[in-house]
């Protein structure tokens, strides 16, 4: 991993189009400003990882339509509200 | 994946065996689904008498179960950014169909409200969209409509 030291107000460039600036530092927290093209998705890593794990789990599950229907019925019936 | 003359595509699903789909059922995911890199084409398969759809990668290695968001959640609203609308080639919001990925955990159905699958049947384009404006759950148990 490349490690760089930056002061508040200073920035780094990643390639031609992405800029990350240190806005402020308060204790353990660092505020970053990020400029990137619209098609670059910027996410907190925890969120990315969380979604990734959920997707991988969902995408590799083997479950029959019958089983899905059965669970759906069960869960609607035990739900506390009425579905019209 | 093998293509036949009559535009049928055969998917050899690792989980569900051999599956024939029409060319029209295949959606292009320019941006891949998070955690599933290199898979850009998925076939959307509806199932008779079922609330569920399946989304098969053409190589047969991945299969998602989906439900229509409008069928299972109320008051589910979010804004789709321009970049995504452009990428899906949607000319109006009505063209975008919102699906939720189903996950079975501890023998219960859950849906991912935070990162729905958006699809535009007219253009056969799709993507996974992350809703940043609201704090929707990634794993909501499907048992009632008391959510959000």
């Amino acid at each position: 991993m490349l490690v760089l030291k930056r002061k508040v107000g200073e920035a780094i460039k990643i390639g031609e189009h992405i800029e990350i600036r240190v806005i402020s530092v308060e204790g353990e927290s660092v505020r970053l400003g990020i400029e990137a093209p619209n098609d670059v998705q910027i996410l907190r890593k925890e969120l990315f990882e969380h979604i990734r794990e959920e997707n991988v789990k969902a995408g590799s599950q083997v479950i029959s339509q019958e089983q899905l229907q059965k669970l759906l019925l069960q869960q609607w019936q035990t739900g506390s509200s009425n579905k019209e | 994946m093998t293509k036949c003359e009559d535009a049928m595509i055969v998917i050899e699903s690792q989980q569900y065996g051999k599956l024939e789909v029409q060319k029209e059922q295949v959606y292009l995911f320019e941006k891949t689904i998070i955690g599933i890199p290199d898979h850009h084409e998925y076939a959307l398969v509806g199932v008779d008498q079922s609330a569920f759809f399946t989304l098969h990668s053409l190589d047969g290695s991945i299969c998602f179960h989906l439900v229509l968001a409008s069928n299972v959640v109320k008051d589910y609203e979010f804004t789709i950014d321009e970049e995504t609308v452009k990428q899906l080639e949607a000319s109006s919001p009505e063209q975008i169909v919102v699906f939720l990925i189903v996950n079975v955990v501890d023998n219960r159905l859950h849906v991912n409200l935070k990162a729905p699958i958006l699809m535009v049947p007219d253009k056969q384009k799709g993507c996974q969209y992350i809703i940043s404006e609201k704090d929707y759950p990634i794993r909501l148990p499907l048992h009632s409509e008391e959510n959000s």
Side-chain angles (χ1 to χ4, degrees), chain B residues 63-144:
Chain B
C63 172
F64 290 103
H65 296 284
L66 307 178
V67 281
L68 283 167
S70 55
N71 279 356
V72 294
V73 283
K74 273 186 191 160
D75 305 321
Y76 182 52
E77 281 184 1
F78 54 90
T79 314
I80 301 170
D81 65 43
E82 264 177 57
E83 192 62 28
T84 302
V85 173
K86 207 169 81 188
Q87 188 217 314
L88 293 173
E89 294 177 29
S91 47
S92 71
E94 293 76 38
Q95 283 196 317
I96 302 177
V97 185
V98 182
F99 289 96
L100 303 175
I101 297 179
V102 175
N103 222 335
V104 178
V105 184
D106 298 330
N107 220 24
R108 289 181 72 79
L109 299 173
H110 298 76
V111 285
N112 182 346
L113 295 190
K114 183 72 178 171
I117 298 287
L118 308 182
M119 300 185 87
V120 178
D122 286 352
K123 306 289 179 184
Q124 293 175 252
K125 294 255 179 134
C127 72
Q128 183 170 39
Y129 186 69
I130 296 165
I131 300 169
S132 49
E133 68 190 270
K134 288 181 192 168
D135 210 8
Y136 282 126
I138 291 175
R139 186 182 286 179
L140 175 82
L142 249 196
H143 58 80
S144 72

Side-chain angles (χ1 to χ4, degrees), chain A residues 1-26:
Chain A
M1 187 190 279
L2 172 70
V3 180
L4 294 171
K5 204 166 175 177
R6 298 277 62 194
K7 294 197 171 91
V8 170
E10 292 179 340
I12 59 164
K13 294 283 286 187
I14 299 174
E16 190 79 18
H17 304 294
I18 299 175
E19 184 173 302
I20 300 173
R21 184 175 299 276
V22 181
I23 305 293
S24 64
V25 181
E26 291 159 35

Side-chain angles (χ1 to χ4, degrees), chain A residues 38-41 43 47-65 67-69 71-84, chain B residues 15-16 31 33-36 47 49-52 54 61-65 71-72 83 101-105 107-109 112 114-115 128 130 138-139 142-146:
Chain A
N38 289 335
D39 62 343
V40 175
Q41 192 165 51
L43 293 171
L47 177 62
F48 178 91
E49 285 299 326
H50 198 164
I51 294 170
R52 189 185 65 77
E53 283 167 23
E54 198 71 0
N55 282 346
V56 168
K57 184 170 168 54
S60 54
Q61 247 166 18
V62 182
I63 185 158
S64 69
Q65 285 294 326
Q67 185 64 13
L68 286 171
Q69 288 292 345
L71 290 174
L72 184 67
L73 264 167
Q74 276 174 9
Q75 290 177 225
W76 280 133
Q77 282 163 0
T78 55
S80 49
S81 67
N82 303 315
K83 191 175 188 274
E84 10 165 36
Chain B
Q15 298 98 325
Y16 302 96
K31 274 190 204 160
I33 294 175
I34 292 175
I36 323 284
V47 184
Q49 313 284 320
S50 167
F52 299 94
T54 54
S61 65
I62 309 286
C63 172
F64 290 103
H65 296 284
N71 279 356
V72 294
E83 192 62 28
I101 297 179
V102 175
N103 222 335
V104 178
V105 184
N107 220 24
R108 289 181 72 79
L109 299 173
N112 182 346
K114 183 72 178 171
Q128 183 170 39
I130 296 165
I138 291 175
R139 186 182 286 179
L142 249 196
H143 58 80
S144 72
E145 300 201 320
E146 288 165 8

